[in-house]
């Protein structure tokens, strides 16, 4: 049990970093730390992109709703009944007779 206790104590004290073979340990530790930093960076980058995508989707839904609302207003404005109401104040009424086609002939003589 004392050997296990000594090994745990040496590990906690960090003697594996100060031994004569510590150069191998340092290279592995630096490599692991670099991998961890790359992993953390990529995780934050992915989270930022997810937030940006959510914001763009929200903006897209708002713009689509605005487009539907605007097109509905336009359709109401183009209705014949709404046009009649608007021009009635100016004294214009629909024609009682249908329009006739006028043909113009031109002689080159």
């Amino acid at each position: 049990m004392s050997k296990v206790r000594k090994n745990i104590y040496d590990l906690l004290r960090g003697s594996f970093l100060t031994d004569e073979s510590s150069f191998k340990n340092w290279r592995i530790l630096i490599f692991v730390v670099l991998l961890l930093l790359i992993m953390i960076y990529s995780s934050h980058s992915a989270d930022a992109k997810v937030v940006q995508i959510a914001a763009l989707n929200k903006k897209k839904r708002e713009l689509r709703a605005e487009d539907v609302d605007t097109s509905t207003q336009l359709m109401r404005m183009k209705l014949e009944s709404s046009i009649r109401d608007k021009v009635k104040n100016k004294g214009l009424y629909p024609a009682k007779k249908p329009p006739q086609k006028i043909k113009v002939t031109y002689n080159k003589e």
Side-chain angles (χ1 to χ4, degrees):
M1 186 76 172
S2 67
K3 188 174 185 179
V4 172
R5 186 176 285 173
K6 183 179 184 280
N7 286 338
I8 293 175
Y9 182 69
D10 286 343
L11 180 69
L12 292 175
R13 208 174 76 203
S15 64
F16 66 95
L17 296 174
T18 58
D19 289 353
E20 58 274 349
S21 65
S22 66
F23 183 68
K24 294 177 185 175
N25 295 338
W26 277 107
R27 286 193 305 185
I28 292 173
L29 283 175
I30 289 173
F31 179 70
V32 169
V33 167
L34 285 175
L35 287 178
L36 288 173
L37 289 175
I38 290 171
M39 187 180 76
I40 290 170
Y41 171 75
S42 65
S43 173
H44 284 295
S45 176
D47 288 342
K49 288 179 182 177
V50 166
V51 169
Q52 184 181 13
I53 288 170
L56 289 174
N57 279 334
K58 182 179 178 184
K59 179 86 171 173
K60 182 182 84 168
R61 284 193 302 270
E62 290 173 0
L63 290 174
R64 187 176 303 271
E66 183 180 344
D67 178 51
V68 168
D69 186 43
T70 305
S71 63
T72 303
Q73 288 177 357
L74 178 65
M75 291 299 274
R76 287 182 186 153
M77 289 171 59
K78 288 167 61 174
L79 287 175
E80 185 180 351
S81 59
S82 66
I83 293 173
R84 279 186 189 172
D85 292 339
K86 288 179 183 177
V87 297
K88 192 182 285 187
N89 297 336
K90 296 180 181 178
L92 297 174
Y93 296 101
K96 299 196 186 222
K97 293 189 291 181
Q100 295 178 355
K101 190 173 187 179
I102 300 174
K103 288 186 179 180
V104 177
T105 56
Y106 179 72
N107 293 333
K108 293 186 179 183
E109 294 176 5

